[in-house]
């Protein structure tokens, strides 16, 4: 019988826990209730009590009672992380549901992020709405997030409908999904892209596919780069065609918007020594919402990407500083690495007369690559625009060459 773990506070969410428990049982599966409450009284008994959860983290309930709220939540977070991961490793659970408000969401999220991509995991949360960033809820994992719509304060027709759907979704994932990543020993090439580099990267990926290669594409905003770096370290990715480095720009400006936390880009491939083809596509602009615009946005110049996002130009010194960071990380490379630079532009709207046309800046980038990359790294520059079909073909050919040089 499939077992679905339910993480929630038994002191405040007991009505919702009992409802979810009955729904899981009605579907012929076994609920496993884990209590993460830190309040004084617990009206219902959990299958794994808060005292048992805390023991996993090396704490006692008596210790936690003496802590302030922040300390108690920290202790519970550490403990539930250890508990859930142990249950997963021992194959004692087939899926996990977390539910609650901000506190419960943060605690549940920390535990669910430890589970691998593909394992069924869902959070029904009061904060999954409005302008909340999803990185605080899902991190770099495939956590399904369902807005609770109403607060968790007793059952009502809305909470019954939403929690019923949450259980239904989990039952569906457990019954029909749950497959973990399996590469069966094949070499998968990671490719990075975004809207302004999409066509070139897709053409290159398609050409590699025609040669019998396998590719996995990652969107180079949000968690795309972070997930890719993680999968490289786990051995899922065997080579990388990293042609869209926009997350480096996000890092330069302190992690604006949805690209927060991408501060380890380019490091995994370098450290793991896998073949890497690199192009600084998309590092010449900032992708900003209207409330994030720089004070000198008009001076910089910008275009509307859509009604909610602008593409704002960077100054030359910013682009060159980002280029130097790219070089410093690539110089850590242990494997075959090649950098290619299209002198005619790094994205769409970068041809002569267009807003992102900066040939003088790209020539200075070229000098940085030529002078500062370590000798073992190949560097090639082309009198082409990133969006030229010929450049896409070159990307595919150079990636293929790196793979063959490694006997792959």
């Amino acid at each position: 019988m499939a077992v679905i773990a339910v993480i929630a506070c038994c002191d405040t969410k007991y009505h919702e826990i009992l409802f979810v428990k009955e729904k899981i049982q009605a579907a012929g599966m076994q609920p496993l209730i884990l209590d993460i409450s830190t309040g004084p009284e617990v009206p219902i008994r959990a299958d794994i009590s808060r005292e048992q959860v805390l023991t996993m983290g090396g704490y006692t309930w008596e210790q936690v009672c003496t802590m302030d709220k922040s300390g108690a939540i920290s202790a519970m977070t550490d403990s539930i992380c250890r508990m859930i991961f142990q249950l997963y490793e021992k194959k004692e659970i087939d899926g996990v549901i977390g539910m609650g408000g901000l506190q419960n969401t943060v605690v549940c999220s920390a535990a669910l992020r430890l589970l691998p991509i593909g394992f069924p995991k869902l959070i029904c949360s009061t904060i999954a709405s409005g302008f909340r960033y999803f990185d605080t809820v899902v991190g770099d994992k495939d956590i399904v997030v369902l807005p609770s719509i109403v607060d968790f304060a007793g059952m009502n027709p809305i909470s019954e409908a939403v929690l019923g759907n949450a259980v239904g979704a989990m039952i569906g994932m457990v019954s029909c999904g749950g497959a973990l990543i399996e590469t069966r020993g094949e070499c998968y090439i990671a490719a990075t892209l975004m809207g302004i580099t999409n066509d070139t990267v897709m053409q290159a990926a398609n050409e590699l596919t025609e040669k019998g290669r396998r590719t996995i594409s990652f969107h180079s905003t949000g968690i795309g780069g972070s997930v890719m770096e993680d999968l490289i370290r786990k051995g899922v990715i065997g080579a990388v065609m990293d042609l869209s480095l926009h997350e480096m720009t996000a890092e330069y400006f302190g992690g604006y918007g949805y690209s927060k936390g991408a501060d380890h880009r380019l490091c995994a491939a370098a450290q793991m020594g896998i073949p890497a083809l690199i192009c600084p596509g998309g590092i010449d602009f900032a992708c900003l919402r209207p409330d994030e615009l720089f004070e000198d946005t008009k001076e910089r110049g910008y275009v509307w990407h859509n009604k909610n996002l602008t593409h704002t130009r960077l100054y030359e010194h910013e682009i060159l500083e980002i280029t130097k960071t790219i070089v410093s990380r690539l110089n850590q490379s242990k494997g075959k690495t090649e950098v290619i630079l299209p002198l005619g532009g790094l994205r769409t709207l970068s041809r002569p007369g267009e807003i992102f046309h900066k040939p003088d800046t790209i020539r200075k980038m070229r000098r940085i690559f030529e002078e500062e990359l370590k000798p073992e790294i190949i560097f090639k520059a082309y009198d082409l625009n990133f969006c030229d079909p010929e450049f896409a073909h070159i990307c595919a050919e150079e990636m293929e060459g790196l793979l063959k040089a490694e006997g792959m």
Side-chain angles (χ1 to χ4, degrees):
M1 181 185 295
V3 176
I4 298 176
V6 180
I7 305 174
C9 290
C10 289
D11 60 345
T12 57
K13 308 296 184 289
Y14 51 92
H15 294 293
E16 291 81 2
I17 292 171
L18 293 175
F19 177 84
V20 167
K21 179 179 180 179
E22 291 175 2
K23 287 287 185 181
I24 294 172
Q25 291 172 329
M29 297 186 181
Q30 179 182 338
L32 181 70
I33 311 302
L34 292 93
D35 184 13
I36 56 170
S37 65
T38 56
E41 296 182 6
V42 180
I44 63 172
R45 182 185 298 274
D47 298 299
I48 299 180
S49 69
R50 61 188 181 184
E51 289 83 3
Q52 290 172 293
V53 171
L54 287 168
T55 298
M56 284 296 300
Y59 301 95
T60 65
W61 175 245
E62 289 70 28
Q63 287 176 312
V64 172
C65 284
T66 65
M67 298 177 180
D68 60 16
K69 184 176 181 180
S70 176
I73 293 173
S74 178
M76 186 59 76
T77 301
D78 180 51
S79 301
I80 193 63
C81 285
R82 294 172 185 270
M83 176 65 76
I84 285 294
F85 193 70
Q86 183 185 85
L87 290 171
Y88 162 74
E89 281 199 315
K90 291 184 174 181
K91 301 186 187 305
E92 294 180 0
I93 55 174
D94 301 284
V96 184
I97 294 178
M99 56 184 181
L102 176 59
Q103 174 183 321
N104 287 12
T105 298
V106 170
V107 176
C108 292
S109 172
L112 268 57
R113 291 187 207 193
L114 297 177
L115 302 174
I117 292 173
F119 187 85
K121 40 195 173 291
L122 180 151
I123 296 177
C124 186
S125 172
T126 61
I127 71 168
S129 59
F131 291 100
R132 295 281 186 176
Y133 292 134
F134 266 55
D135 65 349
T136 62
V137 182
V138 303
D140 60 358
K141 291 297 172 64
D142 58 334
I143 300 173
V144 177
V145 182
L146 187 65
S148 66
I149 307 301
V150 295
D151 206 349
F152 291 94
M155 297 305 299
N156 57 69
I158 297 176
S159 57
E160 288 179 3
V162 173
L163 286 175
N165 283 339
V167 174
M170 177 55 61
I171 290 168
M173 285 190 283
V174 170
S175 301
C176 305
L180 303 184
I181 299 171
E182 175 54 70
T183 60
R184 297 179 177 85
E186 294 187 63
C187 173
Y188 278 81
I189 305 166
T192 55
L193 54 80
M194 56 192 305
I196 50 92
T197 62
N198 179 85
D199 292 354
T200 293
V201 179
M202 287 307 301
Q203 180 187 326
N206 289 338
E207 289 189 23
L208 288 169
T209 300
E210 291 172 2
K211 295 176 183 291
R213 304 294 186 180
R214 294 180 177 273
T215 62
I216 302 175
S217 298
F218 296 88
H219 200 67
S220 58
T221 56
I223 64 168
S226 298
V227 172
M228 181 185 74
E229 302 271 342
D230 182 57
L231 294 178
I232 289 171
R233 288 192 169 90
K234 290 179 177 176
V236 175
I237 301 298
V240 62
M241 187 168 65
D242 205 349
L243 307 181
S244 307
L245 302 184
H246 181 66
E247 286 151 322
M248 300 293 293
T249 304
E251 177 188 340
Y252 179 83
F253 287 106
Y256 59 79
Y258 48 73
S259 295
K260 277 193 216 175
D263 59 353
H264 58 282
R265 288 289 276 109
L266 295 175
C267 294
Q271 293 163 2
M272 297 297 290
I274 65 173
L277 180 69
I278 310 296
C279 176
I283 69 166
D284 55 353
F285 74 99
C287 186
L288 303 173
R289 296 196 309 266
D291 62 335
E292 297 173 320
L293 294 177
F294 302 129
E295 292 182 1
D296 58 352
T297 291
K298 289 185 178 180
E299 180 183 339
R300 289 171 176 271
Y302 67 93
V303 293
W304 286 97
H305 181 57
N306 56 45
K307 67 178 183 178
N308 297 314
L309 290 173
T310 67
H311 283 188
T312 301
R313 289 195 302 185
L314 268 57
Y315 294 127
E316 181 177 277
H317 75 273
E318 295 168 336
I319 296 171
L320 298 182
E321 287 171 15
I322 293 168
T323 301
K324 286 178 177 288
T325 301
I326 292 170
V327 169
S328 68
R329 293 187 184 176
L330 292 180
N331 280 342
Q332 304 172 32
S333 298
K334 299 177 181 178
K336 289 279 186 182
T337 303
E338 178 177 336
V339 177
I340 54 176
L341 181 66
L343 299 174
L346 302 176
R347 50 157 294 164
T348 56
L349 298 178
S350 63
R351 299 186 187 279
E354 295 180 320
I355 187 170
F356 294 103
H357 183 60
K358 288 198 169 190
D360 292 340
T361 300
I362 297 178
R363 280 193 287 270
K364 292 177 183 178
M365 292 174 64
R366 178 180 187 170
R367 280 203 299 274
I368 291 172
F369 284 125
E370 289 176 335
E371 294 173 3
E372 299 186 20
L373 281 171
K374 67 180 184 179
E376 295 86 351
I377 296 177
I378 302 166
F379 174 72
K380 297 180 181 180
Y382 298 91
D383 288 317
L384 295 167
N385 185 281
F386 187 97
C387 299
D388 289 338
E390 186 180 349
F391 184 70
H393 177 68
I394 288 170
C395 292
E397 290 297 306
E398 295 299 318
M399 186 74 250
E400 180 69 13
L402 287 174
L403 294 169
K404 288 183 175 178
E406 291 289 275
M408 300 169 71

